[in-house]
Amino acid sequence: MPANDRIAIPGSERAPMRGATLVGPTDPNQLIEVSVVLKQRRPLDLNDLQGRILSHDDYASAYGADPENIQRIHTFAANNNLQVVEHGDEIARRTIKVQGTVANLEKAFGVTLNDYRHARGHYRGRTGAVYVPPELADVVQGVFGLDNRPQAKPHFRYRGLSGASDAAAADISYTPIQVAQLYNFPTGVTGAGQTIGIIELGGGYKPADITNYFKSLGLTAPKVTSVSVDGGTNSPTNANSADGEVLLDIEVAGAVAPGANIVVYFTPNTSQGFQDALSTAIHDSTNNPSAISISWGAPEDDWTSQLMQSFDQVAQAAAALGVTITVASGDDGSSDGESGDHVDFPSSSPHVLACGGTTLESSGGVITSETVWNSGSSGGATGGGFSTIFAQPSYQSSISGQTGRGVPDVAGNADPATGYNVLVDGEQFAVGGTSAVAPLWAGLIALLNQKLNTRLGYINPAIYTLPEPDNGFNDITEGNNGTYSAGPGWDATTGLGSPIGATLASLLAASITTPPTGGNGPSTPPDPTGPTDPTPPTDPTPPTDPTGPTDPTEPTDPTDPTQPTWPTDPTDPTDPCDPTDPTDPTWPTDPWDKPAN
């Protein structure tokens, strides 16, 4: 129980994952590291920037953490027998790493930590809120890492699983280059000078796959760099794992923007890992990505509101730095795999470009049909709907009858039956899911940035004001994702539609003001005494008791005898993780659906 003088961090409440079994108290002597995220030095209102793009240094000095508040965390750590682990980016990322024993962290933050067993793996969990002393209550945004349950799942699907789409006349597959040509991506540019960041919460890639895949396309393999966040590493295993996600992301983004560099940020599949990976990528002044692709997510109910609010603030920082974040909207239709209607986070953040999915048919290099991807309850469908956490952003003000942020913003080919040819761990597959659309759009952003000599960054307000009907989008008007149906204009299945790249380039060229060379914005930050927006951009009353997800990753091909399953017997020698150590860093991410050959 927290001390009487402690104050709960708003929205930090946790409940056990549904289906979890309590094992017992976490070892009090176990060492763990948590991330303490501080509030911004002053509120960031993107309207104040008037389209200007800040340098990393200017952002840190204007909106990063206050050094005095960082010192408060040092004092707090010393008073609670904790150690601050410095990384040198504390001001920009507003994140301070604090290490200590479970016993000392429990006392410091007023929590009780227990070990749980779940179908998705062992985890260390807490229930209730996280507490801080009064002198920190006004400076701490959130504390992440006390609980290390698996947070998200990747949104990709191999063709051939139960419930495969019958929407297409026959199974078709494309190279990413062919999809880009169908969408009339800009020619004469390759993404040179751009860097695409990719967030991965598991899996890995083998360099031979990268070399061989791009050789098969007649392209030189892009430069791919791995960055470790919170101990996550490039750890390829086989196509049953999240390797399928990692290779899909790299191969799609790299094929459509072959001149761009690719940086993959590997991190554990936890709330701490996800938050830290995006924050690291946004403030990576060495690689300096201009687009970041995220193909992982989960229903809004599966996140604490402290994490969603903190994550959205990082997305706002990305906007200020001229970074576009593309996010898959989910593969389970309007329900997002839950009961009722739900949208997937982080695609529901109003400061990311949410990417939905279509079924794409063509003939002779021309699109002949494009409809909403919906393969039924077993085969998947594009995510979409309305957030219950984030209020309707101003760029969606024309959407009547709704108060929440609408998802998605844009769309692209995602049906596995019209999927992408990829190479995963030496094997060739046709893959779909909205996971493919996020890197497709990230690659398009890299091409547009090069062609327009700018960083488009927070592109949402711009694309919603483009004049219809020739607004640079193929308007998808047929199909549904469950509750929501397609129609003229924006809808909660495919957003504005799939891209017409060259048209978008022309329209955006006329609507933007090109920043100084390199797209790094002004050399001086906005006046810190200028106006701020005291009104938070999100619903001030988000739910504070989200419960853990059910396991949405159960095998979907019951005929495949090699389909992996999670053992439930702690003595089972086939269990890939140490049943006596729920913090074993070798426990894998979900054994994603086995590809059917």
Side-chain angles (χ1 to χ4, degrees), residues 156 158 198-210 224 226 232-251 264-267 296 423-426 589 592:
F156 78 100
Y158 288 109
I198 299 175
I199 306 297
E200 300 293 1
L201 278 64
Y205 65 88
K206 299 171 183 176
D209 276 340
I210 305 296
V224 180
S226 297
T233 59
N234 176 22
S235 303
T237 53
N238 53 60
N240 298 343
S241 71
D243 290 6
E245 180 62 69
V246 176
L247 271 302
L248 174 67
D249 292 343
I250 294 173
E251 290 170 1
V264 187
Y265 299 85
F266 287 101
T267 193
W296 299 69
L423 184 67
V424 181
D425 296 316
T589 54
W592 316 117

Side-chain angles (χ1 to χ4, degrees), residues 317-586:
L321 294 166
V323 181
T324 308
I325 305 174
T326 62
V327 184
S329 68
D331 293 352
D332 292 293
S334 58
S335 71
D336 208 25
E338 302 268 296
S339 175
D341 291 329
H342 298 269
V343 290
D344 205 77
F345 184 84
S347 71
S348 66
S349 162
H351 296 95
V352 306
L353 188 71
C355 302
T358 69
T359 298
L360 180 70
E361 297 182 65
S362 68
S363 177
V366 177
I367 297 174
T368 57
S369 171
E370 190 166 19
T371 58
V372 177
W373 168 42
N374 188 341
S375 304
S377 58
S378 299
T382 181
F386 297 90
S387 174
T388 60
I389 302 298
F390 297 100
Q392 184 182 78
S394 60
Y395 57 78
Q396 291 186 329
S397 59
S398 63
I399 302 172
S400 60
Q402 296 290 339
T403 59
R405 188 274 205 261
V407 175
D409 299 301
V410 297
N413 182 41
D415 190 337
T418 61
Y420 299 74
N421 296 321
V422 297
L423 184 67
V424 181
D425 296 316
E427 300 180 70
Q428 295 181 350
F429 303 104
V431 182
T434 55
S435 276
V437 189
L440 181 76
W441 268 91
L444 174 57
I445 294 296
L447 297 179
L448 292 171
N449 283 347
Q450 181 190 1
K451 188 172 187 67
L452 303 178
N453 190 31
T454 190
R455 291 171 69 112
L456 289 170
Y458 183 35
I459 196 175
N460 299 35
I463 61 176
Y464 276 85
T465 59
L466 296 176
E468 297 182 19
D470 299 322
N471 62 345
F473 290 93
N474 299 304
D475 191 8
I476 313 303
T477 59
E478 296 182 21
N480 66 78
N481 66 351
T483 297
Y484 305 103
S485 296
W490 183 92
D491 53 64
T493 61
T494 54
L496 296 169
S498 62
I500 306 174
T503 303
L504 276 175
S506 298
L507 294 173
L508 290 171
S511 67
I512 63 174
T513 301
T514 304
T517 302
N520 290 324
S523 59
T524 56
D527 181 357
T529 62
T532 60
D533 181 1
T535 305
T538 56
D539 184 348
T541 58
T544 56
D545 189 20
T547 56
T550 55
D551 183 9
T553 58
E554 66 274 2
T556 55
D557 184 2
T559 64
D560 184 351
T562 62
Q563 184 68 30
T565 57
W566 280 100
T568 56
D569 180 359
T571 64
D572 187 338
T574 65
D575 190 337
C577 48
D578 181 355
T580 64
D581 181 10
T583 63
D584 181 3
T586 64

Side-chain angles (χ1 to χ4, degrees), residues 131-417:
Y131 294 82
V132 292
E135 61 269 20
L136 295 182
D138 62 334
V139 302
V140 174
Q141 173 72 36
V143 176
F144 307 102
L146 295 166
D147 186 305
N148 70 348
R149 72 186 65 192
Q151 183 60 61
K153 61 175 285 189
H155 296 313
F156 78 100
R157 291 177 182 249
Y158 288 109
R159 177 190 292 171
L161 302 177
S162 174
S165 174
D166 58 4
D171 281 347
I172 309 165
S173 61
Y174 303 99
T175 67
I177 296 174
Q178 291 171 323
V179 174
Q181 290 170 341
L182 289 171
Y183 287 145
N184 199 19
F185 277 21
T187 57
V189 286
T190 63
Q194 305 294 314
T195 295
I196 299 172
I198 299 175
I199 306 297
E200 300 293 1
L201 278 64
Y205 65 88
K206 299 171 183 176
D209 276 340
I210 305 296
T211 300
N212 293 334
Y213 180 76
F214 286 94
K215 182 179 180 180
S216 73
L217 298 179
L219 298 172
T220 300
K223 177 184 177 182
V224 180
T225 303
S226 297
V227 174
S228 174
V229 179
D230 293 347
T233 59
N234 176 22
S235 303
T237 53
N238 53 60
N240 298 343
S241 71
D243 290 6
E245 180 62 69
V246 176
L247 271 302
L248 174 67
D249 292 343
I250 294 173
E251 290 170 1
V252 170
V256 301
N261 294 324
I262 293 178
V263 180
V264 187
Y265 299 85
F266 287 101
T267 193
N269 185 5
T270 64
S271 60
Q272 178 187 28
F274 210 160
Q275 158 79 24
D276 285 347
L278 182 62
S279 176
T280 297
I282 294 303
H283 297 287
D284 182 354
S285 57
T286 299
N287 295 299
N288 201 24
S290 59
I292 292 177
S293 175
I294 300 175
S295 294
W296 299 69
E300 286 183 330
D301 286 355
D302 293 347
W303 306 73
T304 62
S305 60
Q306 74 158 347
L307 178 56
M308 287 187 283
Q309 303 293 345
S310 181
F311 203 97
D312 182 62
Q313 283 193 358
V314 178
Q316 292 178 56
L321 294 166
V323 181
T324 308
I325 305 174
T326 62
V327 184
S329 68
D331 293 352
D332 292 293
S334 58
S335 71
D336 208 25
E338 302 268 296
S339 175
D341 291 329
H342 298 269
V343 290
D344 205 77
F345 184 84
S347 71
S348 66
S349 162
H351 296 95
V352 306
L353 188 71
C355 302
T358 69
T359 298
L360 180 70
E361 297 182 65
S362 68
S363 177
V366 177
I367 297 174
T368 57
S369 171
E370 190 166 19
T371 58
V372 177
W373 168 42
N374 188 341
S375 304
S377 58
S378 299
T382 181
F386 297 90
S387 174
T388 60
I389 302 298
F390 297 100
Q392 184 182 78
S394 60
Y395 57 78
Q396 291 186 329
S397 59
S398 63
I399 302 172
S400 60
Q402 296 290 339
T403 59
R405 188 274 205 261
V407 175
D409 299 301
V410 297
N413 182 41
D415 190 337

